[in-house]
């Protein structure tokens, strides 16, 4: 059984309160369990309305059809805007096997310098090199390694 992952980034379409993010996490866990999808969602909170309401970056992994269907649903979700597919890749094993949906909320000031560019679509780095391919996945995976 070949597995697949997709990483996307989006901007929050409105201010996301803690209860909004809790609702997203609770629904994602329930829905992803049914579809055998695992992954990690990171929400980067912005400091001001001028910067935007925040950004999501998420990795979804599972059977390709299930992952792509979920991604299409996310693209239609009114809480997201400027949804950008970053990477897709076929994998032999899951990176997040124990998480139907891991979740972490960070302030933009908490981002390490080496990943800050990943969360600004205007400053998105070139992603053609294989070394760069794993930067967002490795960053998201670091939360899995810390909190599982």
């Amino acid at each position: 059984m070949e597995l697949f992952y997709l990483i996307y980034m989006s901007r929050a379409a409105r201010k996301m309160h803690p209860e909004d993010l809790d609702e997203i996490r609770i629904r994602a866990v329930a829905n992803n369990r049914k579809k055998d999808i695992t992954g990690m969602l990171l929400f980067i909170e912005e400091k001001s309305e001028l910067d935007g309401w925040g950004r999501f970056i998420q990795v979804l992994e599972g059977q390709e059809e299930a992952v792509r269907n979920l991604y299409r649903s996310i693209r239609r979700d009114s809480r997201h805007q400027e949804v950008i597919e970053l990477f897709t890749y076929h994998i032999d094993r899951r990176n997040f096997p124990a998480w139907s949906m891991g979740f972490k909320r960070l302030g933009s000031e908490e981002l390490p310098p080496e990943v800050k560019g990943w969360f600004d679509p205007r400053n998105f780095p070139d992603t053609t090199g294989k070394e760069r391919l794993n930067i967002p996945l490795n960053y998201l995976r670091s939360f899995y390694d810390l909190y599982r």
Side-chain angles (χ1 to χ4, degrees):
M1 167 176 75
E2 189 172 59
L3 296 167
F4 174 82
Y5 77 73
L6 182 148
I7 301 176
Y8 76 89
M9 181 174 57
S10 68
R11 284 181 159 302
R14 59 181 167 80
K15 184 164 180 60
M16 301 302 291
H17 300 283
E19 52 276 2
D20 297 319
L21 297 169
D22 286 343
E23 179 187 340
I24 289 171
R25 182 185 49 79
I26 290 166
R27 281 191 173 179
V29 167
N31 290 332
N32 291 354
R33 278 190 184 139
K34 291 178 196 171
K35 298 172 186 168
D36 195 27
I37 292 175
T38 54
M40 172 74 193
L41 173 63
L42 180 64
F43 181 71
I44 309 299
E45 214 168 15
E46 300 295 341
K47 285 189 165 199
S48 73
E49 187 175 341
L50 292 174
D51 292 331
W53 298 113
R55 293 184 181 91
F56 295 98
I57 185 166
Q58 184 171 25
V59 58
L60 302 166
E61 55 188 15
Q63 293 300 307
E64 185 171 357
E65 183 178 356
V67 169
R68 288 196 182 276
N69 286 339
L70 177 55
Y71 177 66
R72 280 191 285 278
S73 174
I74 290 166
R75 289 185 60 86
R76 293 187 302 267
D77 188 319
S78 64
R79 295 171 291 199
H80 296 270
Q81 61 186 12
E82 299 176 35
V83 182
I84 302 167
E85 182 179 307
L86 302 177
F87 302 109
T88 59
Y89 203 76
H90 288 93
I91 52 177
D92 295 324
R93 68 181 200 283
R94 294 174 189 265
N95 292 286
F96 305 90
W99 282 357
S100 303
M101 186 47 54
F103 177 80
K104 181 72 176 160
R105 177 184 189 163
L106 293 174
S108 57
E109 70 282 354
E110 295 176 80
L111 291 174
E114 64 272 14
V115 299
K116 282 192 185 226
W118 284 100
F119 301 101
D120 185 350
R122 298 164 298 187
N123 192 28
F124 196 72
D126 174 24
T127 59
T128 54
K130 224 177 184 171
E131 301 79 35
R132 291 189 184 262
L133 177 70
N134 291 323
I135 292 172
L137 180 63
N138 289 340
Y139 185 66
L140 292 167
R141 172 72 194 214
S142 70
F143 293 105
Y144 180 78
D145 293 337
L146 282 172
Y147 299 111
R148 66 181 156 136

